[in-house]
Amino acid sequence: MAQTISINGKAVQLRSPYNPKQKGRLIGRETEIGIIIASWMARRGQIPKAPLLIGLPGLGKSRLVYECARLCGKELYTEQGHEDLTSEDLMGTIRPSDDPKKKFDYILSNLATAMIRGGIFFLDGIGKMRERALAPLESVLDERRYMDSSLLGARIHASPGFRFIAATNPEDLFGKELPDYIRSRIRPVIQIGYPPREEINEITSCLLYTSDAADELD
């Protein structure tokens, strides 16, 4: 059952964290993991950085984020960016309630939930989103660390443990760039390339299935 909290006198549902079904350890990517975790560290009076991963599909950007969340011991909340995603979607939504005592249910977004819970928010496909949809991130990713929700009539502040990371495929940036107020806030930019041959060989050996593994496909 979804957790409910009170914001501005309204009962608001939080989203549930994403628990990826990971099998086996992550091979390689130690350098990228080190950069991500180091960028999330913040000294007193500083704000943590918000890394951006850029790489072709299938190179493990999402898997890298899952591993960093595991190593940090934090809840992970994810959102898939696309052209139809709106700024309101990044804040929350409202729907008719199944409870006869209430007219509506207020449901926070994955971003807002991560801010409140002090978790990691992963925005995958940020390059697909329209500029207007990215507007709530402006105050979330700078020293203000809050988001104003018109739906709730309240300001949501990020817990100290909140961390942000985004990813995009390079082709989603062809012919356009992220707006300046986003590019200045999302850094470092980490290029995710193909792994070296040794790691590819190790990954391939781990993927070789036995007859017992093949039976699991039935």
Side-chain angles (χ1 to χ4, degrees):
M1 185 175 180
Q3 181 183 357
T4 300
I5 63 173
S6 178
I7 299 179
N8 203 22
K10 298 180 177 68
V12 181
Q13 293 181 19
L14 299 180
R15 299 293 181 109
S16 297
Y18 175 60
N19 296 308
K21 300 295 187 292
Q22 298 176 182
K23 291 186 177 181
R25 64 183 179 87
L26 177 65
I27 297 172
R29 301 299 187 191
E30 289 87 357
T31 298
E32 292 87 345
I33 289 173
I35 294 173
I36 292 170
I37 293 180
S39 70
W40 281 343
M41 295 179 180
R43 297 179 181 177
R44 186 183 299 273
Q46 296 180 333
I47 60 173
K49 291 180 170 44
L52 171 64
L53 310 180
I54 299 180
L56 294 172
L59 292 185
K61 298 186 296 296
S62 296
R63 180 68 173 84
L64 184 57
V65 174
Y66 303 160
E67 181 68 10
C68 289
R70 184 189 70 80
L71 291 172
C72 293
K74 286 182 172 291
E75 294 178 342
L76 176 64
Y77 298 85
T78 69
E79 191 73 54
Q80 184 62 51
H82 53 81
E83 288 186 353
D84 295 328
L85 195 71
T86 67
S87 58
E88 289 78 14
D89 292 329
L90 284 182
M91 293 187 284
T93 187
I94 187 172
R95 69 180 182 188
S97 179
D98 295 328
D99 186 345
K101 298 180 181 179
K102 300 191 299 180
K103 291 184 178 180
F104 301 105
D105 288 328
Y106 294 92
I107 305 172
L108 282 185
S109 66
N110 285 298
L111 171 59
T113 301
M115 292 171 66
I116 290 173
R117 296 280 297 169
I120 295 169
F121 177 68
F122 175 36
L123 181 53
D124 192 12
I126 190 173
K128 292 184 171 70
M129 296 174 60
R130 299 178 182 178
E131 179 176 347
R132 192 166 49 183
L134 296 169
L137 296 180
E138 184 173 4
S139 59
V140 172
L141 298 180
D142 63 16
E143 68 281 355
R144 290 172 287 182
R145 304 269 287 172
Y146 66 67
M147 177 171 59
D148 286 325
S149 171
S150 56
L151 179 70
L152 298 173
R155 175 167 291 174
I156 298 172
H157 291 270
S159 298
F162 169 69
R163 296 296 184 268
F164 180 98
I165 188 168
T168 185
N169 301 328
E171 59 266 27
D172 292 332
L173 298 177
F174 288 165
K176 70 170 185 177
E177 291 186 354
L178 294 172
D180 290 341
Y181 68 87
I182 293 296
R183 286 194 295 113
S184 65
R185 288 166 170 79
I186 298 186
R187 60 186 185 277
V189 175
I190 304 172
Q191 299 289 340
I192 306 298
Y194 288 97
R197 181 179 296 275
E198 307 79 50
E199 290 181 6
I200 293 177
N201 291 339
E202 188 175 355
I203 293 169
T204 302
S205 66
C206 291
L207 293 176
L208 294 177
Y209 59 87
T210 64
S211 57
D212 291 339
D215 291 340
E216 295 180 5
L217 300 178
D218 295 337

